[in-house]
Amino acid sequence: MINYLIRRLFYLFPVVIGVTLITFILFLVVPGDPVRLALGQHPNPELQKRIEHELGMDLPWYARYGRFLGKAVTGDLGNSIRTGEPVAKIISDRLPATAKLAVAAMIFALLIGIPAGIMSATKQYSFWDNAFMTLSLVGVSMPVFVLGLIFMLLFVSVLKIVPGSGYGDGQLIYLLMPTLTLGTIPMAMISRMTRSALLEVMKSDYIRTARSKGLSERVVVYKHAFRNALIPIVTVIGNYFAGLFAGAIITEYVFNWPGIGSATINAITQRDYPVVMGIVLFIAAIFVISNLIVDVTYALIDPRVKLK
């Protein structure tokens, strides 16, 4: 187990290098001078050259990228071009808001998605099955920003439950709209995967044997079938939980949520590439660690799965 974990952690490096290199190259080919944008329309030439030298912008691109990786290994992600604030501090300050939103969205997705999938599988082709699968199809197809605007119209203008968008003073009521918006797509995918995996398991011989022994349908479904259907469900949950940190970008922007997503949008529009590079590095690490946790969970769910 320990050897497997160490080996998987080494996979972090090629993933991080690939993702950050692509992001770095994109900033090279996109027109616009980030330092000039930060200093305004009439920048001081000497000040501009000094800042460019401090950022290493007078170096070849490969030297600049190597400089970024070298500092990132020590935990130094650089400073924002716009504010001069350390990128690591920007991420740490905004991480609690994004983590709060991501956890709430995943809890919503699990509480609705798994029961809906189980009911659809156990009552195949019934009214509930058709209703849940239709709603899940709508949830997957609906763009996040459109869904966010719909919830904003419903909860703010019509029902008047939520005072408005934003973080407020941290009250849970402000978490309602972004949670529903961000958690709808994972909820839809979890319900569809739960239904599909459970239907596949329910056709197995041991399920027929369990029923022939006189076990109740609840015991057959939850004790025997659902546990053996968990591996594909856990895969979807793990991938989407990591994706919530990246997918929260649009949701946070729509609801003016002060998390990593809104910081990413601001950094992209302002060409603040140290902030973008730092956030991309952070999200890539989240994906690798999430996949590692999913793999370990496989062995806990099914002892037949060996970590090699």
Side-chain angles (χ1 to χ4, degrees), residues 225-240:
F226 181 65
R227 181 173 182 178
N228 287 281
L230 270 178
I231 286 183
I233 299 173
V234 168
T235 302
V236 172
I237 293 172
N239 290 335
Y240 267 100

Side-chain angles (χ1 to χ4, degrees), residues 168-220:
D169 294 327
Q171 302 100 316
L172 291 179
I173 191 63
Y174 285 93
L175 192 62
L176 177 62
M177 294 188 297
T179 295
L180 295 179
T181 302
L182 189 61
T184 295
I185 292 179
M187 178 269 293
M189 292 302 301
I190 289 171
S191 65
R192 294 178 71 86
M193 180 56 70
T194 302
R195 179 184 184 274
S196 176
L198 200 55
L199 285 175
E200 187 67 27
V201 171
M202 296 287 279
K203 300 175 183 176
S204 304
D205 292 336
Y206 69 88
I207 296 297
R208 286 192 289 268
T209 302
R211 283 172 172 162
S212 66
K213 290 180 179 180
L215 298 178
S216 66
E217 189 66 15
R218 178 178 292 272
V219 173
V220 171

Side-chain angles (χ1 to χ4, degrees), residues 86-166:
V87 176
K89 185 177 185 303
I90 294 175
I91 295 176
S92 63
D93 288 346
R94 290 176 174 263
L95 179 59
T98 297
K100 182 179 179 180
L101 177 57
V103 170
M106 183 52 66
I107 291 174
F108 163 72
L110 293 175
L111 291 179
I112 304 298
I114 290 180
I118 294 175
M119 183 174 292
S120 295
T122 55
K123 301 181 183 299
Q124 191 179 14
Y125 303 128
S126 67
F127 167 79
W128 292 111
D129 181 23
N130 294 328
F132 284 137
M133 290 304 101
T134 300
L135 290 175
S136 67
L137 181 61
V138 173
V140 171
S141 306
M142 183 75 72
V144 173
F145 64 92
V146 174
L147 192 61
L149 294 176
I150 291 174
F151 283 136
M152 195 177 298
L153 177 65
L154 177 63
F155 290 109
V156 177
S157 300
V158 179
L159 299 178
K160 302 185 187 304
I161 297 176
V162 183
S165 62

Side-chain angles (χ1 to χ4, degrees), residues 292-304:
L292 176 61
I293 294 174
V294 168
D295 289 344
V296 173
T297 306
Y298 289 163
L300 299 177
I301 295 174
D302 190 347
R304 295 172 297 179

